[in-house]
C-alpha cells in the first residue's frame, strides 16, 4: 500500500487527464459531425463525377457518412467512459480510436493516390459516355449535369458529339447550350451552326480539376482527423493506467 502523499499526488494528475480527455472527446465528436457533413456533401455534389469514374468510388461518400456516424456515437461513449473513470471502458475507447486511425489513414492514402489516376480513367469513361449517350440513362444524365454545371461540351470539345449516334438523330444535347433562348434543334444538328450556341470547352479537363481539388480536400481532412486520434489514444491509455495504479495503491 502506498503512502497517502503519493495518492494525493496521483489524484490531480487523474483529474487533469480527465479534463483533457473529455475536451478531446467533445472535439472528436465534432470531427464526426464534420465527416458526416463532408460525406453528405460528397454524395450530393460529386455523385455525377463519381459515376463517370468507377463504380467503386461511389461508395466513398457512404464510407464517410458511416464513419462519421460511428465517431459521433463513440465520441459520446468517450465522454461517458472518462466521467465514470472505468479502466476497461477507457481501454475499449483507445482501441476504437486506434481502429479509426488506421481506417482513416488508409482512406486518406487511397483518396490521395486515386486523384492522380483520375485524368486517365475519366478521359476513357467520359468518351465512352458521350459515345453511348441516350439522354435517359443514369450515365447520360450525369453527362448532362456536368455539361450544365461546368459550362462545357463533349470530352475535348463540342465536335466530339459529331461522331455519335445521338447526334445523327437529335444533334448535340441541349445541356451543351450556352443560351437556351437561341439554342434551336436546327442549330444543334449542324456543327458549324452549333459553334455559336454551345460551349466550346471540353469537359474532361474541367471535371479532372474539380475532382482533384475536391478529393484533395477530402484526403486532407481524413489525414488531419486520423493523426488527431493519436492524441486521444495517448490520453485514454494514460488515464486508464493512472486510474488502475491508483486503485491498486489504495488496496
Amino acid at each position: 500500500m502506498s503512502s497517502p502523499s503519493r495518492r494525493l499526488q496521483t489524484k490531480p494528475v487523474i483529474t487533469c487527464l480527465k479534463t483533457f480527455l473529455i475536451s478531446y472527446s467533445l472535439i472528436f465528436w465534432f470531427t464526426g459531425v464534420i465527416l458526416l457533413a463532408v460525406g453528405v456533401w460528397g454524395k450530393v455534389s460529386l455523385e455525377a463525377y463519381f459515376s463517370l469514374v468507377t463504380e467503386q468510388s461511389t461508395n466513398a461518400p457512404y464510407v464517410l457518412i458511416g464513419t462519421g456516424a460511428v465517431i459521433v456515437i463513440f465520441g459520446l461513449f468517450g465522454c461517458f467512459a472518462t466521467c465514470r473513470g472505468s479502466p476497461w471502458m477507457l481501454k475499449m475507447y483507445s482501441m476504437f480510436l486506434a481502429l479509426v486511425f488506421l481506417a482513416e489513414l488508409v482512406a486518406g492514402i487511397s483518396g490521395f493516390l486515386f486523384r492522380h489516376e483520375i485524368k486517365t480513367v475519366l478521359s476513357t469513361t467520359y468518351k465512352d459516355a458521350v459515345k453511348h449517350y441516350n439522354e435517359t440513362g443514369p450515365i447520360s444524365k450525369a453527362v448532362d449535369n456536368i455539361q450544365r454545371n461546368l459550362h462545357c461540351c463533349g470530352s475535348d470539345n463540342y465536335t466530339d458529339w459529331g461522331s455519335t449516334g445521338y447526334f445523327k438523330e437529335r444533334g448535340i444535347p441541349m445541356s451543351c447550350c450556352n443560351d437556351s433562348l437561341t439554342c434551336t434543334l436546327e442549330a444543334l444538328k449542324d456543327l458549324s451552326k452549333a459553334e455559336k450556341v454551345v460551349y466550346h470547352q471540353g469537359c474532361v479537363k474541367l471535371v479532372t480539376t474539380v475532382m482533384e481539388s475536391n478529393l484533395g480536400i477530402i484526403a486532407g481532412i481524413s489525414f488531419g482527423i486520423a493523426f488527431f486520434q493519436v492524441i486521444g489514444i495517448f490520453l485514454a491509455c494514460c488515464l486508464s493506467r493512472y486510474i488502475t495504479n491508483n486503485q491498486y495503491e489504495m488496496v
Side-chain angles (χ1 to χ4, degrees):
M1 180 176 179
S2 63
S3 63
S5 62
R6 184 172 179 181
R7 291 201 301 272
L8 289 173
Q9 291 175 355
T10 304
K11 287 183 178 180
V13 175
I14 292 175
T15 302
C16 184
L17 285 173
K18 277 188 174 183
T19 303
F20 279 121
L21 191 55
I22 288 175
S23 300
Y24 169 86
S25 296
L26 291 174
I27 297 172
F28 181 57
W29 177 86
F30 186 67
T31 61
V33 175
I34 291 175
L35 278 181
L36 268 172
V38 171
V40 172
W41 168 76
K43 173 64 179 172
V44 174
S45 302
L46 302 179
E47 185 176 16
Y49 308 120
F50 281 137
S51 64
L52 287 172
V53 182
T54 58
E55 292 182 0
Q56 290 85 354
S57 64
T58 55
N59 293 325
Y62 295 110
V63 171
L64 287 174
I65 292 170
T67 303
V70 173
I71 286 177
V72 167
I73 294 171
F74 269 87
L76 296 175
F77 175 80
C79 291
F80 177 74
T82 305
C83 293
R84 284 289 302 272
S86 171
W88 72 267
M89 283 186 177
L90 290 168
K91 288 176 182 176
M92 181 182 292
Y93 186 45
S94 64
M95 288 176 62
F96 169 75
L97 290 175
L99 290 174
V100 171
F101 169 76
L102 293 174
E104 289 178 348
L105 195 63
V106 171
I109 292 172
S110 300
F112 185 77
L113 294 176
F114 176 70
R115 72 190 186 106
H116 295 296
E117 301 174 6
I118 287 177
K119 189 172 183 179
T120 303
V121 175
L122 186 61
S123 179
T124 303
T125 54
Y126 200 92
K127 286 178 180 178
D128 187 64
V130 169
K131 182 179 179 181
H132 298 95
Y133 180 87
N134 61 8
E135 198 175 17
T136 57
I139 299 298
S140 298
K141 289 181 179 179
V143 170
D144 284 332
N145 288 333
I146 289 171
Q147 291 185 152
R148 287 194 189 97
N149 295 331
L150 299 184
H151 297 170
C152 58
C153 188
S155 53
D156 298 318
N157 55 60
Y158 74 97
T159 59
D160 295 331
W161 288 102
S163 59
T164 64
Y166 183 84
F167 178 81
K168 295 174 183 177
E169 297 179 5
R170 307 284 299 275
I172 298 175
M174 290 291 291
S175 56
C176 280
C177 294
N178 54 29
D179 186 351
S180 58
L181 297 177
T182 60
C183 206
T184 63
L185 290 175
E186 182 183 352
L188 292 175
K189 289 182 178 181
D190 189 328
L191 288 178
S192 59
K193 292 180 180 179
E195 183 180 5
K196 299 177 182 179
V197 297
V198 299
Y199 302 118
H200 290 180
Q201 188 170 3
C203 294
V204 170
K205 186 176 180 180
L206 288 176
V207 174
T208 300
T209 302
V210 171
M211 288 287 285
E212 284 182 344
S213 61
N214 285 316
L215 281 177
I217 292 171
I218 292 175
I221 291 174
S222 296
F223 277 129
I225 294 177
F227 285 103
F228 182 66
Q229 316 308 331
V230 177
I231 300 173
I233 294 170
F234 174 77
L235 289 173
C237 289
C238 285
L239 181 57
S240 175
R241 181 181 177 185
Y242 269 100
I243 291 174
T244 301
N245 289 343
N246 188 57
Q247 291 173 345
Y248 175 76
E249 288 167 359
M250 293 179 65
V251 176

